[in-house]
Amino acid sequence: QGMPYLAKIFDLAKDWQNNLRICGYTDDTPINNDTFSSNWELGYVRARNVARFGMNYTNLPPERFSMVSYGEFRPAFPNDSEENRQKNRRIEIFIEYPINQDPLM
């Protein structure tokens, strides 16, 4: 469902010099199956998949991307309802200042 939005973000990113940090999050429901042994892994795979889409879609070099997982540890909403748990299963994309650029300029 989010692919059209990701495409728009990465269309803009093609013209930027900034790096992109992709963060993956989960709700607090414990996971342990054949694919993921923890929410950390699930959050990372979410971030990796978005970064991979961005690299493939834009041909931006991999060194422009970083990925991190916060798992269930930084919820945006209390995990007290299915609606809120769904909102916590998310990706955030941060646009970073270039290393050699003063962010106040």
Side-chain angles (χ1 to χ4, degrees), residues 38-91:
S38 71
N39 282 333
W40 286 102
E41 291 179 26
L42 175 57
Y44 177 76
V45 168
R46 286 182 178 155
R48 185 199 67 201
N49 288 344
V50 169
R52 184 177 288 158
F53 171 81
M55 286 179 237
N56 292 335
Y57 182 78
T58 62
N59 290 319
L60 288 171
E63 60 266 19
R64 296 268 308 274
F65 292 84
S66 62
M67 295 144 285
V68 65
S69 172
Y70 291 110
E72 72 269 28
F73 297 107
R74 293 192 182 182
F77 299 90
N79 282 296
D80 57 4
S81 68
E82 180 52 36
E83 181 182 348
N84 282 352
R85 280 189 286 280
Q86 186 175 2
K87 291 175 184 177
N88 285 326
R89 298 187 291 262
R90 69 193 191 280
I91 291 292

Side-chain angles (χ1 to χ4, degrees), residues 13-19 64 96 98:
K14 288 189 278 189
D15 296 326
W16 300 336
Q17 299 302 310
N18 308 70
N19 291 335
R64 296 268 308 274
E96 298 180 338

